[in-house]
Amino acid sequence: ASKPEEININALKNIAELRKKFYIVDKKTLMTEDYFNVDKFLNTDLKIKKNGDFPKVLIFHTHSHEMFKDSAPNNIYEGVVGAGKRLKEKLEEKGIKCIHCTDRFDMVDGKVKIIGAYERMEPAIRKILSDNPSIEVVIDLHRDGIDESKKLVTTINGKPTARLMFFNGICRILEDGKLSEIKDLQNPYVKDNLAFSFNLNLKAKQKFSGLSRGIYLNAYRYSLHMAPKSTLVEIGAQNNTKEEIFNAVDLLSEVISEVID
């Protein structure tokens, strides 16, 4: 089995140490003490309610066109949508009922159009959430795009496994050395989102050394403002194989279920 990382929780209460160990911060934003309180993160109740056979988790893909190294072209189930399907299956094996939305928000008139995908995604996702009030966890599953000379892969439990990254937009932008709220991108759940990704990342590190690359922080909002327990996950990149991706999905399902169940 993969050896877990030793995490000194007390050390993480220092924001510089927390940043070094857990976060990759885009130059457009900043970490500040008011948003990154480890005690608050650890004391956030992330457990889902147990109420019968209702869906608890929604998995979707703002960028459904994202594929892997050996994906068959034109079959979305060979790409990130297939990773979402497998995540649903693995969580349901653990007794956590899911809805997997395979709508293609990055396609317009049969062509990939990334610009506007987040805006096209929102009405559809809000409708699923209003139709299914039992859903508590919302996961926007992506894959990263990286320099071809790099590869996001490690070996866990003897299997080649894609590395993953959690992602937060914090609706605060750094301009002229000053951090300010992005007024037209409100997210009432930023602190809840941050608590969720912190605990997912902590669990991933504690269970599977090398699985998580950390948590990427950017300025904008993305898809994280519709539920408190929302996260965006980048699983592997364009040059990972489906096998590496699916092995990572299996471990991600364990991480998620331990945090929420």
Side-chain angles (χ1 to χ4, degrees):
S2 164
K3 63 179 194 315
E5 276 180 51
E6 286 297 318
I7 305 280
N8 178 343
I9 297 285
N10 266 334
L12 296 180
K13 294 177 186 180
N14 172 312
I15 196 163
E17 188 65 14
L18 176 64
R19 176 176 173 151
K20 192 169 91 186
K21 288 276 193 289
F22 270 40
Y23 291 94
I24 305 144
V25 184
D26 191 278
K27 60 181 183 298
K28 292 190 282 293
T29 196
L30 273 184
M31 282 175 71
T32 54
E33 304 265 357
D34 56 333
Y35 272 37
F36 293 87
N37 180 320
V38 167
D39 285 320
K40 282 195 175 140
F41 288 167
L42 292 168
N43 289 320
T44 302
D45 179 13
L46 298 168
K47 299 298 181 191
I48 52 177
K49 294 180 192 74
K50 296 284 191 284
N51 57 347
D53 194 32
F54 293 104
K56 289 291 170 189
V57 176
L58 171 61
I59 301 159
F60 72 99
H61 312 274
T62 301
H63 295 155
S64 65
H65 75 281
E66 293 172 337
M67 304 298 265
F68 304 109
K69 183 181 176 178
D70 55 350
S71 301
N74 306 322
N75 179 354
I76 60 167
Y77 288 100
E78 295 264 306
V80 75
V81 176
K85 178 174 181 275
R86 188 174 180 101
L87 181 58
K88 174 185 194 284
E89 289 162 0
K90 290 290 168 184
L91 287 171
E92 291 194 334
E93 283 171 16
K94 296 168 176 40
I96 301 167
K97 193 159 186 225
C98 304
I99 290 176
H100 181 209
C101 172
T102 59
D103 292 6
R104 309 208 62 187
F105 306 114
D106 54 355
M107 298 290 282
V108 176
D109 300 328
K111 292 192 172 64
V112 173
K113 188 179 181 198
I114 295 172
I115 291 169
Y118 283 98
E119 290 74 15
R120 292 188 290 274
M121 162 278 297
E122 184 165 340
I125 297 306
R126 286 205 182 273
K127 178 160 193 336
I128 294 171
L129 293 174
S130 77
D131 290 348
N132 298 276
S134 58
I135 291 173
E136 294 183 56
V137 176
V138 179
I139 300 167
D140 188 0
L141 193 62
H142 292 245
R143 68 106 172 100
D144 210 348
I146 60 165
D147 189 308
E148 277 293 338
S149 65
K150 298 191 175 75
K151 190 144 186 242
L152 304 176
V153 68
T154 187
T155 303
I156 299 178
N157 300 334
K159 295 177 181 174
T161 305
R163 302 188 69 205
L164 56 83
M165 181 169 73
F166 301 101
F167 188 106
N168 284 100
I170 59 172
C171 307
R172 299 168 106 186
I173 196 159
L174 192 59
E175 289 174 315
D176 306 321
K178 185 170 166 289
L179 190 67
S180 52
E181 305 284 329
I182 303 177
K183 289 283 182 282
D184 53 347
L185 292 179
Q186 295 291 317
N187 179 356
Y189 306 122
V190 170
K191 289 182 182 176
D192 305 279
N193 297 165
L194 290 169
F196 192 36
S197 62
F198 172 88
N199 282 285
L200 290 167
N201 189 57
L202 176 64
K203 183 64 71 180
K205 285 179 171 293
Q206 287 171 334
K207 280 183 74 72
F208 307 113
S209 180
L211 176 64
S212 177
R213 299 156 61 199
I215 305 165
Y216 196 95
L217 292 180
N218 210 332
Y220 308 109
R221 183 171 69 181
Y222 305 96
S223 52
L224 301 163
H225 56 297
M226 294 176 282
K229 292 192 275 287
S230 288
T231 190
L232 192 159
V233 185
E234 301 266 10
I235 195 145
Q238 80 282 1
N239 55 2
N240 283 101
T241 65
K242 290 176 298 184
E243 180 193 11
E244 291 161 357
I245 294 295
F246 284 1
N247 288 338
V249 167
D250 296 355
L251 302 184
L252 176 61
S253 73
E254 291 188 40
V255 169
I256 292 168
S257 68
E258 286 200 24
V259 169
I260 68 171
D261 199 15

